[in-house]
Amino acid sequence: MLCLGIETSCDDTGLALARDGKIIDSVLASQASLHELFGGVVPELASREHQRLLGPLFDLLLKRNGIIKQDIDVIAVARGPGLLGSLLVGAGFAKALAFGLDRPLIGVNHLHAHLLSCGIENPLEFPALGLVISGGHTELYHMRSPWNMERKGRTLDDACGEAFDKVGATLGLGYPAGGKIEKHALQGNAAACHLSAPYLDNSNLDFSFSGLKTMAITRARTAHIPDDNDPDKLADFCAGFSQTIVQALVEKTARAMQRFPHARILYLAGGVAANFHIRKALGEMMEKLGGKLYAPSTPLCMDNGAMIAFAGHLLAKAGFYHALDLEAIPRGREIPDDMLRMKCDE
Ligand code: KG4
Ligand code: ZN
């Protein structure tokens, strides 16, 4: 089965081909340099860029693999959550292909695809817990199968990556800032800059990062960070800020591990999952609890077409598909459980 995956939920245009669940090739165009000029993603520009790039990227992907359109068996597309205009471009392209080629269409939950992307490099095991941390989302899932995932916790305000990006903007690090904060943090001493960990004094599995973001921005301004005469100040601040985020993620995930004792695997995904400190701390926590952490390699942590092709393959193999009235779902709206099923062998 040859599955095409299309990702346009935010500011990356990605396409990939999965043959029987193995990614054979992928293409990705990042719009980061365009949006950096504005300090964040400009939705109108993002949709326009997807519209401009999708066709040529699709042609390139097929051409360099010696594949013709008619070879594609299934078309999978990220149907949300994300920026509505961006999602509509991908969904429109996918529907046109599905209709024109008379092939099944499958709308993939972008967050589920992030988690399932852990299966591209290692076989997936269920039940498991899944933590998605990205620029737009911070969510904790109980995963029973690729199509049965229940959200158990989420951020009440800002996503974890948004905190990195907004604090990074105050520090003059540009957009997106997560990777740059990580680089400075690796040179710093977290103990020299204490910020209190947010939203832990409760018994739930939710997160909150907006208070920490404001506290960090205020601290950076009052302490005049960055300071050209004292580069250690920036490194220590980034280390302290990162450690605080790590603390919140580790504590809530450890709590979830205790509540779901049958799940001994943690899948970590999303752009922020590229962070060394976060991977290390969650890996150590899982080991202590007798479990194991799996996270994709860095390029697969970011938005990409491969994760959509892979998730699409898993769903299509189990007989799921969508009709052509598939709706794109923006961030903030629940993704409906509206997949249709051809056969029921799993
Ligand atoms: O998953 P992604 O590519 O797009 C969204 O769906 O948001 O994630 C992008 C986010 C940005 O907020 C970026 O700052 C963050 O991932 N990020 C990182 C690192 N690399 C990317 N955050 C912390 N440490 C990193 N190394
Ligand atoms: Zn994402």
Side-chain angles (χ1 to χ4, degrees), residues 6 78 81 217 263 302 339:
I6 303 170
I217 289 175
M302 311 302 167
M339 286 193 296

Side-chain angles (χ1 to χ4, degrees), residues 70-330:
Q70 287 74 9
D71 293 336
I72 298 169
D73 298 305
V74 182
I75 293 121
V77 63
R79 58 93 56 107
L83 299 172
L84 187 59
S86 291
L87 291 166
L88 287 172
V89 176
F93 191 84
K95 286 182 186 189
L97 273 179
F99 179 70
L101 297 171
D102 193 21
R103 297 288 191 274
L105 170 74
I106 180 94
V108 174
N109 180 320
H110 173 88
L111 299 177
H112 293 186
H114 266 304
L115 291 174
L116 295 172
S117 74
C118 294
I120 295 176
E121 294 161 325
N122 290 288
L124 290 171
E125 285 177 47
F126 298 98
L129 289 187
L131 179 64
V132 192
I133 43 177
S134 73
H137 303 275
T138 303
E139 303 203 342
L140 194 49
Y141 285 87
H142 183 221
M143 304 166 66
R144 293 189 194 88
S145 75
W147 49 90
N148 185 344
M149 302 196 201
E150 199 177 332
R151 192 178 59 213
K152 296 294 179 186
R154 64 172 163 178
T155 180
L156 302 178
D157 39 59
D158 289 350
C160 166
E162 203 171 333
F164 272 106
D165 292 337
K166 295 279 161 59
V167 169
T170 300
L171 298 171
L173 298 179
Y175 171 86
K180 290 168 198 154
I181 290 184
E182 177 186 356
K183 272 202 194 113
H184 289 291
L186 286 166
Q187 314 296 324
N189 170 18
C193 179
H194 175 76
L195 292 160
S196 41
Y199 200 60
L200 296 180
D201 195 12
N202 53 59
S203 60
N204 63 45
L205 299 177
D206 292 326
F207 301 91
S208 165
F209 292 105
S210 77
L212 169 64
K213 177 189 75 179
T214 308
M215 195 196 321
I217 289 175
T218 309
R219 175 80 63 88
R221 287 195 180 131
T222 51
H224 304 290
I225 303 169
D227 180 345
D228 287 345
N229 299 318
D230 186 0
D232 287 351
K233 254 168 123 178
L234 176 62
D236 291 347
F237 175 82
C238 289
F241 173 68
S242 303
Q243 194 191 50
T244 312
I245 292 204
V246 165
Q247 214 182 325
L249 294 173
V250 168
E251 170 126 5
K252 290 287 169 109
T253 313
R255 207 177 274 181
M257 289 302 296
Q258 276 147 10
R259 293 198 191 163
F260 299 96
H262 299 300
R264 291 296 91 191
I265 303 276
L266 173 65
Y267 292 119
L268 173 69
V272 186
N275 187 283
F276 167 78
H277 295 104
I278 295 173
R279 290 167 91 103
K280 183 165 175 279
L282 286 171
E284 287 169 359
M285 180 272 285
M286 287 302 292
E287 215 166 286
K288 230 187 257 169
L289 296 179
K292 196 158 166 43
L293 170 80
Y294 288 97
S297 52
T298 302
L300 280 177
C301 287
M302 311 302 167
D303 287 350
N304 63 82
M307 67 183 194
I308 306 300
F310 184 71
H313 157 81
L314 293 175
L315 297 173
K317 197 173 76 154
F320 291 104
Y321 71 100
H322 277 105
L324 284 178
D325 63 357
L326 170 75
E327 228 191 319
I329 308 292

